[in-house]
Amino acid sequence: GQQLNQSPQSMFIQEGEDVSMNCTSSSIFNTWLWYKQDPGEGPVLLIALYKAGELTSNGRLTAQFGITRKDSFLNISASIPSDVGIYFCAGLYYTGNQFYFGTGTSLTVIP
Amino acid sequence: GAGVSQSPSNKVTEKGKDVELRCDPISGHTALYWYRQSLGQGLEFLIYFQGNSAPDKSGLPSDRFSAERTGGSVSTLTIQRTQQEDSAVYLCASSLAGGGNEQFFGPGTRLTVL
């Protein structure tokens, strides 16, 4: 199946640091979603983006829908231990009926 | 509960056996998706059901994989003659409708083929 390019693949950071990850696609999307997956559980939606250029925050999380419609980034400020997990982006083509998921970014926060 | 549920949570089977994985979507959600997640990998789309429309089976990796959704609610993913490479976590998600609606995921079924 088709997947988005998500980077970095993994991150090891100190508690309190900021985190940035991104997703890119060769095709135009009209919706971007960011999910977090804790071990042994299904992904949970963090932020949804529906418009090019849109910048949306959810607490310490901020995500942006790229102007070109081919990319999106997620920032986490002042990381804490419970931020540990795998973060996935997901994109929907404007003519599509299913989301394509990124390969995930594994985040480890060192206390 | 009000979320998506899946059963069993873990399944260990021998190579060549058939397995059935079950998904109970959120009540009222018309769209249902199955994904496969191999160790350390992203989510691989398998199949999508939307209401009474014909399912989108474009992600099924082989004819050993099939899925059905009875009465527009519960779905069963069947893998026949399992192979070791089928070992993965199988995730189910549902949404109010298809397209850009948020998908709510179940906890997954971890399948191990010995």
Side-chain angles (χ1 to χ4, degrees):
Chain A
Q2 184 168 2
Q3 291 187 328
L4 305 176
N5 296 315
Q6 186 171 348
S7 65
Q9 186 175 14
S10 61
M11 302 182 74
F12 294 82
I13 61 169
Q14 294 284 340
E15 182 177 358
E17 289 184 352
D18 297 344
V19 172
S20 184
M21 59 192 79
N22 69 81
C23 267
T24 60
S25 167
S26 58
S27 300
I28 293 174
F29 286 155
N30 72 345
T31 300
W32 284 95
L33 305 178
W34 283 93
Y35 284 87
K36 182 193 177 199
Q37 184 177 28
D38 291 328
E41 299 184 14
V44 174
L45 183 69
L46 299 174
I47 292 180
L49 303 161
Y50 298 105
K51 204 164 62 169
E54 179 181 355
L55 185 70
T56 299
S57 293
N58 178 6
R60 294 177 297 105
L61 308 177
T62 301
Q64 183 158 29
F65 192 142
I67 289 292
T68 65
R69 292 181 168 269
K70 296 182 178 180
D71 61 352
S72 176
F73 72 75
L74 174 71
N75 285 344
I76 306 173
S77 62
S79 58
I80 59 178
S82 62
D83 291 335
V84 166
I86 302 177
Y87 292 79
F88 291 101
C89 61
L92 177 74
Y93 293 121
Y94 73 99
T95 57
N97 62 6
Q98 58 158 297
F99 281 92
Y100 292 93
F101 281 79
T103 48
T105 294
S106 175
L107 177 63
T108 301
V109 179
I110 303 167
Chain B
V4 177
S5 60
Q6 292 185 245
S7 61
S9 55
N10 281 284
K11 176 71 176 178
V12 180
T13 189
E14 292 180 348
K15 177 182 173 181
K17 296 281 180 69
D18 298 351
V19 295
E20 282 190 354
L21 312 180
R22 176 187 168 106
C23 172
D24 282 89
I26 293 172
S27 177
H29 280 193
T30 61
L32 187 148
Y33 304 78
W34 282 99
Y35 295 89
R36 178 169 68 176
Q37 185 177 28
S38 300
L39 186 63
Q41 300 297 311
L43 277 67
E44 176 188 5
F45 167 77
L46 297 177
I47 189 169
Y48 161 57
F49 296 90
Q50 172 55 53
N52 296 320
S53 303
D56 177 354
K57 304 180 183 180
S58 60
L60 295 179
S62 77
D63 58 7
R64 295 187 296 104
F65 287 72
S66 63
E68 62 179 25
R69 188 178 184 194
T70 53
S73 180
V74 172
S75 177
T76 302
L77 176 69
T78 301
I79 308 173
Q80 296 178 307
R81 305 182 301 282
T82 52
Q83 303 293 313
Q84 289 185 331
E85 60 263 28
D86 298 335
S87 297
V89 174
Y90 290 82
L91 290 161
C92 173
S94 71
S95 66
L96 265 178
N101 288 275
E102 175 188 354
Q103 295 179 25
F104 294 83
F105 283 84
T109 293
R110 180 173 296 279
L111 175 66
T112 303
V113 182
L114 301 177

